[in-house]
Amino acid sequence: MSKLHSPALYIMALALLMVTVEVGADQTPFPKLTGRVVDQAGILSESVEGQLSAAFKRHETQTSNQVVVATINDLGSKTIAQYGYMLGRHWGIGQEGKNNGLILLISKHDRELRIEVGYGLEGLMTDALATSIVHHTIVPFFKRGDFDGGVIAGSNQILEVLSGKKVQLPRVSSRKPEQNSLLMGLMIFIFLLVFWGLPTFLRIRYGYGGSYYPGGSLGGFDAFDSFSGGFSGGGGGFGGGGGGGSW
């Protein structure tokens, strides 16, 4: 029986979980955070990129909130909700401790978009409000092929909401399927288990020092702190809040 509880078995189990997580991450390539507007799909004009970047910078100076527009070619095997949550954590949009980041995510080939909201902004940008902005403000422009107009109109309303202004929009149900909620809970549990729970257990019970993950703590985004364009995420957290739709 003692062999079943040996440190080697715990280490082997941890290594297997780590490999599984890393393989899954490799299958989800993220664009590089080059600025407040990352137009990988090439759907926005340069003038609109400049306007948005300037507006988001002013808003961050006034409130410390970080807002980013990201366009991608496709979602791969992920849903847009999964991709948005993972991208927000990968980039670390928002300030650490405040978690005040927001991403307007657009997938060109999937014809889907989503407003992904950091923990700290969920009180202002509720799921219902995010969904309503997507459906009633942005989607009508996108259906006409006017990406510039849709992103500008949506971004203006996003900034108004985050500045505390009342924005009257038709209400759209933002209730998430139960299956998505269970999946998100499972993902968070596995993440905490791999990066905090097992290493802590091994360190306490068997005296192993250090961390088994080279990235360190959950709030660490050092690898993404230096980008061209003078902008980087501040280590904000995302938990799946927001709303989306398709055109």
Side-chain angles (χ1 to χ4, degrees):
M1 292 293 294
S2 60
K3 291 183 179 179
L4 295 177
H5 298 280
S6 66
L9 287 178
Y10 285 108
I11 294 173
M12 289 174 62
L14 176 60
L16 180 60
L17 284 172
M18 295 275 295
V19 169
T20 302
V21 171
E22 290 175 0
V23 169
D26 289 341
Q27 296 174 349
T28 306
F30 296 111
K32 184 177 180 181
L33 181 60
T34 54
R36 292 176 172 86
V37 179
V38 179
D39 187 22
Q40 184 190 64
I43 63 175
L44 301 175
S45 65
E46 290 187 9
S47 61
V48 166
E49 286 190 41
Q51 292 174 40
L52 293 170
S53 296
F56 295 159
K57 183 177 181 180
R58 286 195 299 270
H59 181 75
E60 183 177 354
T61 300
Q62 296 167 359
T63 67
S64 81
N65 301 331
Q66 288 190 332
V67 179
V68 172
V69 169
T71 78
I72 59 175
N73 290 312
D74 63 80
L75 296 165
S77 61
K78 299 290 187 295
T79 66
I80 195 164
Q82 292 169 337
Y83 192 101
Y85 162 80
M86 295 170 68
L87 181 64
R89 294 297 299 264
H90 181 79
W91 280 351
I93 302 302
Q95 308 299 329
E96 186 175 5
K98 294 184 177 181
N99 301 315
N100 53 347
L102 182 147
I103 301 175
L104 174 55
L105 174 64
I106 302 158
S107 178
K108 180 180 178 181
H109 293 157
D110 300 290
R111 299 177 68 87
E112 292 187 58
L113 67 152
R114 177 175 173 83
I115 297 174
E116 191 69 35
V117 184
Y119 290 115
L121 296 180
E122 290 179 357
L124 288 172
M125 183 62 74
T126 63
D127 291 0
L129 188 52
T131 303
S132 189
I133 291 174
V134 167
H135 281 271
H136 296 290
T137 300
I138 305 176
V139 165
F141 283 94
F142 281 18
K143 286 184 175 180
R144 300 194 296 267
D146 186 357
F147 293 107
D148 281 351
V151 173
I152 289 175
S155 297
N156 284 338
Q157 288 190 333
I158 287 169
L159 294 181
E160 287 180 359
V161 171
L162 298 187
S163 297
K165 297 180 181 179
K166 295 286 186 179
V167 177
Q168 298 297 330
L169 288 167
R171 185 177 180 85
V172 177
S173 175
S174 62
R175 183 170 55 89
K176 299 180 178 66
E178 183 178 355
Q179 184 177 3
N180 288 346
S181 298
L182 291 173
L183 179 61
M184 184 62 67
L186 180 61
M187 290 173 60
I188 294 173
F189 173 78
I190 293 175
F191 185 89
L192 292 175
L193 177 66
V194 172
F195 295 102
W196 182 81
L198 288 178
T200 301
F201 174 80
L202 291 173
R203 190 164 53 249
I204 293 174
R205 180 161 184 176
Y206 297 107
Y208 295 115
S211 172
Y212 289 93
Y213 181 62
S217 66
L218 294 177
F221 290 88
D222 294 344
F224 306 105
D225 281 348
S226 298
F227 297 97
S228 60
F231 175 75
S232 65
F238 287 75
S246 59
W247 73 92

